[in-house]
Amino acid sequence: MKHNNLKAFIPLLFLSVGLFSIQGCKPKGTQSAVSGNAAAKVYVAPGKYDEFYNFVSGGFSGQMSVYGIPSGRLLRVIPVFSVDPEKGYGYSEESKPMLNTSNGFIPWDDLHHIALSVTNSEHDGRWVFANGNNTPRIARVDLKTFRTAEIIEIPNSAGNHSSPFITENSEYVVAGTRFSVPIGDKQDVPINSYKENFKGTVSFIGVDKTSGKMNIAFQILTPGINFDLARAGKGKSAGWFFFSCYNSEKANTLLEVNASQKDKDFIMCVNWKKAEEYAKAGKGVKKAVKYAHNTYDESTHSATSTMENEVLVLDPKDCPDMIYFMPCPKSPHGCDTDPTGEFIVGSGKLAATIPVFSFTKIQAAIAAKDYDGSFDGIPVLKYASVLHGEVQKPGLGPLHTEFDEKGNAYTSFFVSSEVVKWNVQSLKVLDRIATYYSVGHLSVPGGPTKKPHGKYLIAYNKITKDRYLPTGPELAQSAQLYDISGEKMKLLLDFPTIGEPHYAEAIPAELIMKNSQKIYKIEDNKNPYAAKGDNFARVERKGNEIHVYMTSIRSHFTPDNIEGVKLGETVYFHVTNLEQDWDVPHGFAIKGANNAELLIMPGETQTLKWIPEKVGVFPMYCTDFCSALHQEMQGYIRVSPPGANVPLTFSTGKTAPAATEKKDTVKTK
């Protein structure tokens, strides 16, 4: 190790050792940390509902999970970027296009963060957005159905960690690159030419205010740094966006040392209203790219994937007064705006303070050109000029901050494993409470909006150690629920989560429940393969394909006996659920299929593709319990050798013995 790197590393080493010795052991008296009436506060009686929905990112599962608060009960797993055999997502022919990308079918991603749609900076209960960190994508989930309605791939991006973050009326979903890479025609360059050739981007994805449909409105080319997190302004700062940035050293190797050399990195301030004006004025350059845009149609119950080929890019050198940097200590992770929009909180992972910036002072510094030089041609505002103040000695390893409605902030501390409550105006620490262990993100219901519901705080932990029964080398991911309604925070509940939880947002249940869709009306089903009644059920041969137009209703399929399929043919089961009662889905699977089941909601049509691999009679059955006679909901399909003279027939309820059938003959040479 070079001497200068060693000098940077040693303080970090001693810091880590000191932190471990202070906070690394399990806190004593964990039972006494739980308030005496905690059980009563989190108990939701049978038949009663939770007060909040909590939408939690699934991390490396590629899915999103939904928990009730305060009970901590898992209500739903929403497949977004990963195939899900439970629901047939990514397996049914209708849903497969949702996982298409410019690189082909990608059945997995790393879902790090979510964002609930807002109107006037308040949650409106319409959509929840999610990011795909690995293959850069943004998804939109419709909260009427809790289904993924749209996924758009992000070009000119390598790693999509800094997303999705939304403007105060959901005009844009914003995504920043985690990794800077060579962008443009010159791709094959030496890695150690990072400083000369690597760039980042920030994408502004427009959202239609009625349908929610997304499009990439424009991208901003940025210096070759790494974007971590971001938050839109609100209120007085509504036209601005703030991004935490690290690796202002522009290192390309051993970043744990080489990207920690400077005392301060940056928060990037983007005047997105001005960027929007530049885009409309033709200041951007259209770049040839290739990216997938996938949408799900609720009337046809089918997804469509379209390949786009162009994006508008704004270069700051052609768009003055659009971007500014302000220094922030050190390797900042979280970047959060308070409910008023006046204060921006930076969380330097390696800093001993929490800096709080004033939007009013930022505007004054810009007007006075109160700069401390520039970074890649972009003005750097003077730290002292934009600073509201610093929270002194708040804890060790600050990460994320949420807010209540009383002017208080709550910051997670990864190293000292705690949540600290402090006042945004006075910067005084008011309370602290332990987490178990290595806390990451926090969620206060409504915390990122201008209208927090300061009743609960949920902490999402990276490590659980001894909180749950041991389950081999890997333990359950975890969350803790705290009561923050009083002056002191109180631990109420531990509950395990689907791993790995990153960011989450919670919303009052009443905003979603009233719009929840219970069934699909059979008369509105526009799937071209729908059979809207048993009299429409049929089996047809189209070339080398067999199409089975099947219905399901408690407790049988129509048809449930099919013969005449030949080995080498492909069978498509188009199954329509005729139920018109809430929460009566039907499943469908066939023995020997090498993909998965279908799960078909009332009034919906879904398709399973099956390629028989051998001759025989194969059972098919309903996989989702639907009635007392669920076990009897089954049938058979017969596959004969190629060239067999078995006619294509189908039936339901035919009980008469078959006529004596001549032995199948197979044409041979």
Side-chain angles (χ1 to χ4, degrees):
M1 181 181 292
K2 290 184 178 180
H3 181 64
N4 62 331
N5 288 343
L6 183 61
K7 287 171 63 180
F9 180 72
I10 288 175
L12 297 179
L13 178 63
F14 277 104
L15 175 63
S16 300
V17 172
L19 298 181
F20 181 81
S21 64
I22 295 170
Q23 298 285 349
C25 299
K26 177 186 174 183
K28 296 180 180 179
T30 56
Q31 295 303 317
S32 63
V34 181
S35 61
N37 62 345
K41 287 188 175 182
V42 302
Y43 179 67
V44 178
K48 300 296 183 181
Y49 295 140
D50 279 285
E51 185 177 357
F52 297 97
Y53 285 99
N54 188 30
F55 295 87
V56 184
S57 64
F60 43 69
S61 75
Q63 300 169 332
M64 185 188 303
S65 52
V66 186
Y67 295 85
I69 297 297
S71 73
R73 298 180 297 194
L74 176 63
L75 304 176
R76 184 75 173 165
V77 175
I78 304 172
V80 181
F81 298 114
S82 295
V83 294
D84 184 357
E86 180 194 10
K87 303 171 186 69
Y89 182 79
Y91 292 100
S92 72
E93 295 304 295
E94 284 83 359
S95 64
K96 284 180 180 178
M98 292 301 291
L99 299 178
N100 190 40
T101 74
S102 60
N103 301 306
F105 182 82
I106 305 291
W108 171 84
D109 214 318
D110 186 7
L111 196 162
H112 256 54
H113 306 124
I114 64 97
L116 288 159
S117 59
V118 291
T119 300
N120 193 25
S121 286
E122 295 182 25
H123 285 148
D124 56 30
R126 293 186 294 168
W127 309 301
V128 55
F129 300 92
N131 70 336
N133 187 29
N134 186 271
T135 303
R137 289 175 277 182
I138 295 291
R140 176 175 58 87
V141 173
D142 190 334
L143 291 181
K144 286 184 178 180
T145 59
F146 281 57
R147 286 184 164 186
T148 303
E150 187 175 12
I151 296 177
I152 192 166
E153 190 179 1
I154 304 177
N156 296 328
S157 177
N160 182 35
H161 182 269
S162 184
S163 66
F165 303 102
I166 53 177
T167 52
E168 73 167 355
N169 285 294
S170 303
E171 301 97 335
Y172 294 102
V173 175
V174 182
T177 53
R178 175 177 179 178
F179 307 103
S180 288
V181 293
I183 292 176
D185 298 331
K186 195 176 180 181
Q187 298 286 312
D188 183 17
V189 299
I191 297 173
N192 62 9
S193 69
Y194 186 109
K195 293 182 179 180
E196 294 77 32
N197 292 316
F198 287 49
K199 294 287 185 180
T201 60
V202 172
S203 300
F204 281 75
I205 301 163
V207 180
D208 184 271
K209 63 181 180 180
T210 302
S211 68
K213 189 171 181 179
M214 301 185 293
N215 70 288
I216 299 179
F218 57 88
Q219 294 182 316
I220 298 175
L221 192 67
T222 70
I225 51 180
N226 301 60
F227 295 104
D228 203 333
L229 293 172
R231 192 65 82 189
K234 56 179 76 77
K236 63 173 64 178
S237 58
W240 288 74
F241 230 101
F242 306 96
F243 298 82
S244 62
C245 319
Y246 65 101
N247 194 25
S248 56
E249 296 86 351
K250 295 188 178 180
N252 62 275
T253 184
L254 198 62
L255 264 62
E256 65 173 328
V257 172
N258 293 326
S260 302
Q261 300 291 309
K262 297 180 179 179
D263 288 334
K264 291 183 175 66
D265 284 286
F266 296 118
I267 285 178
M268 185 174 77
C269 310
V270 177
N271 185 337
W272 67 261
K273 285 286 190 181
K274 188 170 286 289
E276 188 179 58
E277 292 173 4
Y278 281 132
K280 291 177 180 178
K283 292 290 186 179
V285 177
K286 291 182 178 179
K287 299 287 187 179
V289 290
K290 184 180 179 182
Y291 62 99
H293 188 183
N294 311 327
T295 57
Y296 192 82
D297 187 328
E298 289 287 5
S299 63
T300 64
H301 313 149
S302 302
T304 302
S305 180
T306 303
M307 206 59 66
E308 307 286 355
N309 54 27
E310 190 176 72
V311 69
L312 183 69
V313 178
L314 300 175
D315 192 326
K317 71 179 188 322
D318 302 321
C319 305
D321 305 321
M322 182 176 66
I323 297 180
Y324 300 87
F325 285 117
M326 57 185 184
C328 181
K330 176 179 184 183
S331 296
H333 187 54
C335 179
D336 301 283
T337 57
D338 85 312
T340 70
E342 168 62 19
F343 300 111
I344 301 97
V345 179
S347 295
K349 299 192 297 290
L350 303 180
T353 63
I354 298 175
V356 181
F357 302 95
S358 161
F359 182 74
T360 300
K361 290 185 175 182
I362 291 170
Q363 296 306 295
I366 291 172
K369 298 188 183 300
D370 195 2
Y371 303 152
D372 190 9
S374 65
F375 182 80
D376 277 21
I378 296 172
V380 177
L381 304 172
K382 287 184 178 178
Y383 182 70
S385 299
V386 296
L387 188 69
H388 167 62
E390 296 177 338
V391 183
Q392 296 296 321
K393 298 181 180 180
L396 300 169
L399 290 185
H400 306 284
T401 300
E402 292 271 299
F403 305 91
D404 65 19
E405 77 283 13
K406 301 172 184 176
N408 301 315
Y410 301 80
T411 300
S412 59
F413 289 82
F414 178 80
V415 181
S416 52
S417 291
E418 61 183 333
V419 175
V420 174
K421 175 182 178 180
W422 52 278
N423 184 268
V424 177
Q425 187 69 48
S426 70
L427 307 177
K428 299 296 185 183
V429 171
L430 304 176
D431 190 24
R432 60 181 71 239
I433 194 166
T435 59
Y436 312 98
Y437 300 90
S438 298
V439 62
H441 282 277
L442 302 176
S443 174
V444 171
T449 74
K450 77 173 188 180
K451 186 182 178 182
H453 308 276
K455 188 173 183 180
Y456 301 112
L457 178 143
I458 309 105
Y460 305 92
N461 302 326
K462 306 301 184 184
I463 301 170
T464 58
K465 292 296 186 187
D466 49 12
R467 300 304 289 176
Y468 305 108
L469 289 171
T471 52
E474 184 183 17
L475 302 179
Q477 311 290 321
S478 86
Q480 269 89 44
L481 176 71
Y482 298 89
D483 180 349
I484 60 169
S485 60
E487 291 185 8
K488 297 295 183 180
M489 297 177 281
K490 297 178 181 179
L491 176 62
L492 298 179
L493 180 69
D494 269 314
F495 61 95
T497 65
I498 291 174
E500 174 190 3
H502 288 270
Y503 187 54
E505 287 189 26
I507 184 173
E510 61 186 12
L511 290 178
I512 295 177
M513 288 178 62
K514 61 185 179 182
N515 297 319
S516 182
Q517 182 170 331
K518 293 179 171 59
I519 63 169
Y520 295 95
K521 293 181 179 179
I522 195 72
E523 62 267 25
D524 295 336
N525 185 332
K526 294 182 173 57
N527 188 301
Y529 298 104
K532 297 184 180 182
D534 287 351
N535 55 319
F536 295 102
R538 62 197 186 278
V539 180
E540 297 176 350
R541 176 176 276 113
K542 298 179 181 179
N544 200 42
E545 299 176 351
I546 301 294
H547 289 263
V548 180
Y549 298 80
M550 179 180 284
T551 63
S552 62
I553 196 166
R554 287 168 286 186
S555 296
H556 67 273
F557 295 111
T558 302
D560 65 3
N561 280 201
I562 302 168
E563 300 191 38
V565 176
K566 309 294 182 9
L567 194 65
E569 293 180 319
T570 298
V571 184
Y572 292 91
F573 295 96
H574 310 293
V575 186
T576 301
N577 182 347
L578 297 181
E579 306 285 356
Q580 291 291 267
D581 190 9
W582 188 23
D583 196 29
V584 189
H586 285 298
F588 178 82
I590 183 163
K591 292 291 186 180
N594 61 2
N595 44 19
E597 64 155 6
L598 296 177
L599 189 62
I600 312 111
M601 297 300 115
E604 185 182 36
T605 300
Q606 290 289 284
T607 300
L608 184 71
K609 178 181 178 181
W610 180 53
I611 303 175
E613 296 182 349
K614 57 185 178 181
V615 170
V617 175
F618 299 87
M620 52 192 181
Y621 66 105
C622 176
T623 55
D624 192 84
F625 184 86
C626 54
S627 71
L629 297 177
H630 162 73
Q631 197 74 1
E632 285 75 16
M633 192 168 176
Q634 63 183 59
Y636 296 96
I637 184 168
R638 177 184 174 187
V639 179
S640 299
N645 64 358
V646 180
L648 185 64
T649 60
F650 59 93
S651 64
T652 299
K654 183 178 179 181
T655 59
T660 302
E661 183 181 293
K662 293 181 180 179
K663 187 176 181 180
D664 294 346
T665 57
V666 181
K667 296 178 181 179
T668 58
K669 293 183 179 179

